[in-house]
Each structure stands twice: as C-alpha cells, then as structure tokens.
Amino acid sequence: MYDLHTIDEASPKPSMYAVRNELVANKADWQYMLSARTLQLAIADLGKAWQNFFDKAQPDWGRPAFKSKNAARQGFKTDRAKVVAGKLRLDKPRGVKDWYDIRVSRHADLSGTLKVVSIYRENGQYWASLPFEVELENKPQTGKNSAVDVNVGHLNYTAGVINTLPKRLGKLYQRVKYYQQQLAHKRVVNGNKATKSNNYAVMRAKLQRDYRKVANIQHDIMQKFTTELVNNYDKIIIEDLSVKDMQMSHVASKGLQRSMFGYFRQVLSYKCAWYGKKLLLADKTYPSTQRCSKCGYIKHGTDKITLQGNAQHQTKHNEYICYNCSAILDRDENAVANLLDLI
Ligand SMILES: [Zn+2]
C-alpha cells in the first residue's frame, strides 16, 4: 500500500517522521472517525521500538512484540484526554456530533497532571487507565515501627490481624479451580479442537471474569493495608515471602494467594519509597516462628512447631510454648514480635 521508496529517498532509515507523514497522508476514511492521537501515538510507539531495536541498554530492546488483532486485550492511547468536573473527557474525533464525558468512580483521586491515557477492551469490558503525575511529600514520622507476619488467610502486624481470605474470595478461588479443571478436561478429551468451540470460549470468558474479580478484591485489601502501614509507621519489617510458599499446601488456589503476597511486597515497597518510610526484609534463615520473643530461645529438631502445632508436646496450631522460660504466646503474635526485634 505504501511506497517504500519514498521513505528510502527521504531518509536512509525509516524514521518515525517519514512513517508518520506517509500514514497521515494516506489515512482511510474510517480513520477520521478516530482521535487523531490514536495514530500519532501508535507511530510514536513504533518509532521508540525501532530506536530500541539494537540498543541492548534498553529493557525492551530487540524485535517489538507483534500485537495480534485477535489478542484478548485491544486498545489505543491518547494524550489529549482531560478530567473535567470529575469526568473523563476523551478528545472528540472530527465530524462526531454526540460526545459525552465518562463518569469515573467517586472514590478515585483525580488530582495531578494526567499523562497518556490508555483505553482498552478486555473480556468484553472497557477500561481506562489514567496515570497522573503527582508531587509526593514524605508522610510525617510517627516514631513507631511495625512488623508483618504473612500467613495463609491472614496477615499479623503490631496492631492486629488483616483477613486476606474473606469468604467471597474463597468462593472465587473454588470457582476458578472448577473452571480451570473443566477447561483442562475439554482439552484432554477433544484436543486442540476444543479451544475453538463456543462452549470453551464462554467458559474461558467466565474464568477470566473471575480472575478479574479476584484481583480487584486482593488489590483492595492490600492497597488499604499498605496505606495504613505507611501512615502509621516509620520502619516496617516483613519476611522474605518465599519462606511461606511451602506452607500453603491446603489452600484451594495457591497461585492466586501467592500472587497476593507478591503484590503486597511490591506495593509496600513503592509506597515506602514514595512517602519516606523504610521497608526492611528479614533474612530467609531468620527463625521468626521458632524463636521465643521473650527470651530468645530457638526451638530445634522435634521441638519445632509446624502449622499443626507440635504433636509430641501436644501444642495447638496457634500456640507457642517456650521450653526455656515457659512463656505461652500466640504463635503469630510471637512471630511479629520476633521480626520487630530485628529493627
Ligand atoms: Zn522463652
């Protein structure tokens, strides 16, 4: 469609500008029904990809990823979007008469400078991603520290317990597991053909919808908790979370619960950096479960407590009984106190 020779003569390399001029000059009628920025930003992305092609210093160097029109996620970007009276206003394409602002959740914080907005469709729903550039100020120092002990279903910290497995999340985990099994079964029975069927597509869409719900609930819990932590404490210590992986054998959807821990650490570390707070990681080998926070005694061998407690000593799963100083402690509170001792 495009004459590559004109590009060649204009410039020895297909520069972003040469490509842009060609594509803009050859716009089809339907393209005028879109925001002009859609094409411009797509070309800018292509230009960046070309520049990074051979530059190994760039994280995304090498061949650009091909985006199929059959991919689950389809979208475009615009840098002309605005927030007007709490609503999102996209740039109006030429010739369009009726144009409406889009309502945004009342709870969304729309302060700051709006950067390039991505609009995309995924699993039959439309999403807008609105990045804001904001000035961050350190949160006031409180003189208090906290430790977080990660467990299956709950997080313990110095001010109490956060439930990370509310009932509706547990139900979603069960349903995700069910859909995964059904889809796998269809693939085993019908082979590659199965993935082309209508029933398969419908079930996969349901699975993806549930994944989305799971992520929303998890992110909500973690965003609130990490905000509380950076508001109230100066230093926060957490365990190296790989330690906990082994102990999750009885959770319905291990992968999903584990990704929540990864998310927790990721969010906490950027919020600490944003607000001038300090995140500390306990060493993998630190015996936060086996140590007595009162006297420092560490359980070894058959004395060790497991998720089920200790059969030999008849201790319950939520108990820590010290054989040195006879302290009787809550297992998870003891772990929090041990982590706090490291600060
Ligand atoms: Zn003790």
Side-chain angles (χ1 to χ4, degrees):
M1 186 153 97
Y2 303 112
D3 181 3
L4 287 171
H5 291 287
T6 22
I7 294 174
D8 252 343
E9 276 166 16
S11 157
K13 282 192 289 183
S15 80
M16 189 174 95
Y17 304 103
V19 172
R20 184 192 62 191
N21 292 342
E22 283 290 317
L23 292 180
V24 169
N26 289 294
K27 259 189 177 184
D29 285 347
W30 63 268
Q31 285 181 296
Y32 288 100
M33 289 158 60
L34 307 176
S35 158
R37 305 306 299 161
T38 305
L39 180 60
Q40 296 283 348
L41 289 170
I43 296 166
D45 278 349
L46 181 66
K48 208 174 122 215
W50 176 252
Q51 272 179 358
N52 293 350
F53 202 144
F54 300 110
D55 185 356
K56 291 191 180 174
Q58 300 296 330
D60 51 354
W61 75 278
R63 195 192 296 260
F66 173 68
K67 288 184 184 144
S68 164
K69 68 174 180 183
N70 296 320
R73 180 171 168 156
Q74 296 286 328
F76 64 92
K77 293 181 189 174
T78 175
D79 54 0
R80 296 265 170 86
K82 277 185 283 194
V83 172
V84 181
K87 290 181 173 181
L88 176 67
R89 178 173 298 171
L90 297 176
D91 31 333
K92 192 164 83 111
R94 199 193 292 176
V96 174
K97 265 195 206 142
D98 296 324
W99 198 247
Y100 303 99
D101 295 347
I102 301 164
R103 202 151 40 85
V104 182
S105 160
R106 272 182 298 130
H107 306 292
D109 178 11
L110 301 175
S111 52
T113 314
L114 186 58
K115 309 298 282 183
V116 176
V117 169
S118 314
I119 310 288
Y120 57 93
R121 191 185 62 207
E122 198 170 47
N123 307 328
Q125 279 181 303
Y126 285 88
W127 303 89
S129 147
L130 311 177
F132 287 93
E133 198 172 81
V134 289
E135 293 286 332
L136 290 170
E137 276 174 25
N138 283 354
K139 300 236 183 212
Q141 298 287 305
T142 60
K144 287 194 291 177
N145 299 329
S146 192
V148 182
D149 178 52
V150 176
N151 293 289
V152 179
H154 60 277
L155 301 172
N156 288 70
Y157 71 123
T158 46
V161 187
I162 299 289
N163 180 9
T164 58
L165 196 56
K167 233 181 198 168
R168 59 206 167 112
L169 197 53
K171 274 188 193 155
L172 281 169
Y173 286 167
Q174 296 287 350
R175 223 156 68 190
V176 162
K177 192 178 164 189
Y178 170 76
Y179 288 140
Q180 281 172 336
Q181 283 169 346
Q182 292 288 310
L183 290 173
H185 178 72
K186 282 177 195 288
R187 285 195 301 271
V188 170
V189 174
N190 297 326
N192 215 7
K193 239 178 20 195
T195 58
K196 309 272 189 296
S197 85
N198 238 344
N199 279 340
Y200 190 92
V202 167
M203 190 167 277
R204 190 174 48 198
K206 284 182 182 169
L207 174 65
Q208 283 165 342
R209 189 193 59 198
D210 282 349
Y211 273 139
R212 170 63 63 185
K213 283 186 188 167
V214 163
N216 285 346
I217 295 171
Q218 290 185 336
H219 292 184
D220 187 55
I221 294 169
M222 288 310 181
Q223 287 290 344
K224 283 177 184 155
F225 181 48
T226 49
T227 297
E228 189 195 328
L229 287 174
V230 293
N231 280 343
N232 296 330
Y233 305 101
D234 301 341
K235 287 181 191 164
I236 300 140
I237 184 162
I238 62 173
E239 282 169 294
D240 190 310
L241 300 179
S242 59
V243 178
K244 294 286 174 176
D245 274 4
M246 317 284 285
Q247 306 176 353
M248 301 199 356
S249 52
H250 64 294
V251 175
S253 242
K254 269 180 284 182
L256 291 175
Q257 191 70 5
R258 192 177 301 150
S259 69
M260 188 179 191
F261 297 156
Y263 183 77
F264 166 64
R265 185 175 152 176
Q266 186 195 339
V267 173
L268 187 59
S269 76
Y270 74 65
K271 282 193 187 170
C272 284
W274 283 358
Y275 298 118
K277 301 298 176 103
K278 204 161 181 179
L279 176 64
L280 301 156
L281 272 189
D283 191 89
K284 229 180 267 191
T285 56
Y286 182 63
S288 59
T289 312
Q290 307 302 335
R291 183 179 182 267
C292 169
S293 58
K294 296 283 177 231
C295 71
Y297 168 79
I298 295 166
K299 291 178 192 273
H300 285 288
T302 52
D303 284 349
K304 276 192 174 183
I305 51 172
T306 67
L307 272 187
Q308 286 76 39
N310 185 309
Q312 193 186 319
H313 295 279
Q314 307 274 308
T315 47
K316 286 182 235 127
H317 70 95
N318 58 350
E319 272 179 340
Y320 182 97
I321 298 175
C322 181
Y323 307 130
N324 181 47
C325 72
S326 309
I328 301 175
L329 307 163
D330 177 87
R331 187 197 129 100
D332 300 324
E333 285 170 12
N334 180 53
V336 169
N338 279 326
L339 287 168
L340 209 55
D341 280 349
L342 287 176
I343 297 184

